[in-house]
Amino acid sequence: MIKAIFFCAFDNLQGPKVLHQVPADSIAPSPRSTQIPLLHFPSASQYIIPRPEFCSKLITFCTPTHRVLSHPVCLQSTSYARNAYTFSIALVLDVSTPFASYATVTFKLASLLRTLEESSRFLSSDLSPPNTGKIYALCEILLEDLNNYCESMIPIDDSNTLNIKLFPAYPPPPPLYPYHVPLSTVRLDNLTDPNWDLTMLRVLPHINGINSVKRISLLADADYKLVRKAIEHLLYYGCLLLLDIFSFGAIYAPTAELGTFVEDTEMQEECARYVELPVEATGEGSKRDPIDGFQMLELYLGLKQGQTVRSFYIEHAERMDKIDVRRFITFGVIKGFLYRVQKYAIATRQTSRRKRDHNTRIKQKRSASVAVEARNDETDADLMELEKFLDGTHCFDEICTELMIDEQELTNRLKAIGDVQIICR
């Protein structure tokens, strides 16, 4: 939130001087004012109206409680006294306020005022008393509009209009990997426009909370790097969440945040609506007993370390007949009271046995058929490619996505390699 906007210029007799300020007396109070200014202008004037070398640059400085953003402008012309006119319009914010979007506003204001001054002497010809006139009105409307609506459109004259919008500054999106599964938090179809990026339009139909980033790139028949950039763009604006690949061989366990689910009845009702299967899918009549929150809590408490979703579902099959198991798990992950227990493979000893066996087979030139030899060579190549992931830093989801295989096939290959330990954490 903007605390104050003020316009100042270099006076040939008095030096840097505040001509207009909103609110009144917030920067340079009158002698009869009892208001405490937001900053001590005489001390800060050298940064707001600096030497010409520092003009046309964004200048920001802080006091213990506030931050000042200014973009001073110095116009050189013989029509001015001392052959120059230096001015600055500055914004005052709380020191803790993120200022990236306000820096853009400051730059745009300085650029517009510079253009108006060069074309029509809009600033230097204004001889209105302090806190009156068109410049003061501009500052007043700007402060009110940006604080209340985050945008402003102010007609300046017949040919100039000030259009400014404060764009929110979001934190950078989390790292995105090929095995991540994006889930939309908004109706993306309602946001699309025919003029959107072509890759984005091809990607959106495949974002369903099931497909991984790499699979989306394959289904969309688009370059993975472009798909990743499009999804990162949606992540930045909060349109997506990232999940892991759902499988019945995965392991999930509750976190301490499960207590929130116990106490929040609205979350329990939301969960019941989200995970309940449609009547058509269950084959039941039009009426059936609703899922209650206590039942959902008992089911979530049934998840534990070392137990796969498949085992959990078999154990609670009767109570899960009305529940979509994928949505059941997804809801807990989204709300933060379930976490995925990832599997990692670690080779227990450094070995190049398979490479040596592969080279020995070629050297010995066995009399086996060409087809058998080709099949053996292909198997060895697959296993050697897998060995680079056996350092304990690559989860099963990542390995399966990179090698384009399922978890069962990965387990079989790990058994073929031998001397591999699987760790769940």
Side-chain angles (χ1 to χ4, degrees), residues 171-334:
L176 183 66
Y177 298 106
Y179 56 89
H180 278 150
V181 176
L183 174 68
S184 62
T185 59
V186 297
R187 293 187 178 275
L188 296 174
D189 293 341
N190 297 339
L191 302 178
T192 56
D193 184 276
N195 297 320
W196 274 27
D197 178 74
L198 295 178
T199 303
M200 182 72 77
L201 294 176
R202 300 178 71 171
V203 162
L204 292 182
H206 304 292
I207 297 178
N208 56 7
I210 300 175
N211 297 324
S212 65
V213 176
K214 187 167 185 178
R215 179 168 177 77
I216 289 174
S217 67
L218 296 174
L219 294 174
D221 192 22
D223 181 71
Y224 169 73
K225 293 182 179 179
L226 296 178
V227 171
R228 177 178 176 176
K229 192 169 186 179
I231 294 177
E232 285 179 337
H233 190 78
L234 294 173
L235 276 173
Y236 177 77
Y237 287 105
C239 298
L240 299 178
L241 292 174
L242 292 182
L243 305 174
D244 53 79
I245 299 175
F246 175 81
S247 70
F248 280 90
I251 300 173
Y252 293 87
T255 69
E257 297 298 325
L258 188 60
T260 305
F261 182 77
V262 175
E263 300 172 354
D264 194 337
T265 55
E266 292 185 0
M267 185 186 296
Q268 296 174 10
E269 295 174 357
E270 179 187 1
C271 178
R273 292 193 301 268
Y274 182 74
V275 305
E276 189 173 13
L277 286 170
V279 175
E280 297 79 6
T282 60
E284 299 180 0
S286 58
K287 294 184 179 179
R288 64 183 181 188
D289 296 334
I291 303 173
D292 61 80
F294 184 74
Q295 178 185 355
M296 299 302 303
L297 176 60
E298 285 186 326
L299 289 173
Y300 279 121
L301 288 173
L303 294 166
K304 57 187 176 181
Q305 286 268 10
Q307 183 185 50
T308 63
V309 176
R310 183 184 296 106
S311 301
F312 167 80
Y313 186 78
I314 294 173
E315 182 180 345
H316 302 84
E318 294 184 359
R319 306 176 67 181
M320 296 286 291
D321 60 342
K322 305 174 185 177
I323 296 174
D324 185 328
V325 64
R326 183 184 65 82
R327 283 175 166 254
F328 172 78
I329 296 295
T330 299
F331 185 87
V333 174
I334 292 174

Side-chain angles (χ1 to χ4, degrees), residues 33-62:
S33 174
T34 58
Q35 181 176 344
I36 300 175
L38 299 179
L39 68 145
H40 186 248
F41 181 76
S43 301
S45 62
Q46 58 180 322
Y47 306 110
I48 299 172
I49 302 292
R51 292 180 296 176
E53 295 83 9
F54 295 98
C55 290
S56 301
K57 297 179 177 65
L58 176 67
I59 296 179
T60 175
F61 62 91
C62 296

Side-chain angles (χ1 to χ4, degrees), residues 287-421:
K287 294 184 179 179
R288 64 183 181 188
D289 296 334
I291 303 173
D292 61 80
F294 184 74
Q295 178 185 355
M296 299 302 303
L297 176 60
E298 285 186 326
L299 289 173
Y300 279 121
L301 288 173
L303 294 166
K304 57 187 176 181
Q305 286 268 10
Q307 183 185 50
T308 63
V309 176
R310 183 184 296 106
S311 301
F312 167 80
Y313 186 78
I314 294 173
E315 182 180 345
H316 302 84
E318 294 184 359
R319 306 176 67 181
M320 296 286 291
D321 60 342
K322 305 174 185 177
I323 296 174
D324 185 328
V325 64
R326 183 184 65 82
R327 283 175 166 254
F328 172 78
I329 296 295
T330 299
F331 185 87
V333 174
I334 292 174
K335 296 299 183 180
F337 58 80
L338 282 186
Y339 73 97
R340 170 75 180 274
V341 181
Q342 295 287 2
K343 298 179 182 178
Y344 298 84
I346 302 177
T348 55
R349 62 185 178 89
Q350 295 293 333
T351 176
S352 58
R353 174 178 53 83
R354 187 157 301 279
K355 294 181 181 179
R356 292 197 302 268
D357 291 347
H358 177 67
N359 295 333
T360 302
R361 186 183 297 109
I362 296 177
K363 292 179 180 179
Q364 289 177 346
K365 298 181 180 179
R366 297 175 181 173
S367 59
S369 66
V370 175
V372 173
E373 283 293 323
R375 187 162 57 251
N376 290 337
D377 290 346
E378 182 179 354
T379 302
D380 284 346
D382 291 340
L383 297 182
M384 283 190 291
E385 185 181 9
L386 174 59
E387 287 180 353
K388 65 183 181 181
F389 294 103
L390 305 183
D391 57 359
T393 61
H394 304 278
C395 64
F396 271 31
D397 283 355
E398 179 182 358
I399 299 173
C400 291
T401 302
E402 292 293 338
L403 301 182
M404 300 296 291
I405 58 176
D406 56 25
E407 188 171 334
Q408 183 62 44
E409 174 64 21
L410 174 59
T411 303
N412 294 335
R413 293 189 185 184
L414 292 175
K415 290 179 179 179
I417 291 179
D419 298 319
V420 175
Q421 185 175 0

Side-chain angles (χ1 to χ4, degrees), residues 60-120:
T60 175
F61 62 91
C62 296
T63 68
T65 56
H66 295 91
R67 179 187 299 273
V68 180
L69 299 175
S70 68
H71 198 284
V73 176
C74 180
L75 298 178
Q76 304 285 343
S77 175
T78 56
S79 60
Y80 298 120
R82 297 192 179 185
N83 298 327
Y85 178 67
T86 305
F87 68 90
S88 178
I89 187 166
L91 278 61
V92 182
L93 316 172
D94 279 330
V95 71
S96 60
T97 302
F99 64 94
S101 56
Y102 293 98
T104 305
V105 169
T106 307
F107 172 76
K108 189 167 184 178
L109 282 172
S111 300
L112 175 66
L113 294 179
R114 179 185 187 122
T115 301
L116 292 173
E117 175 63 20
E118 290 176 335
S119 61
S120 62

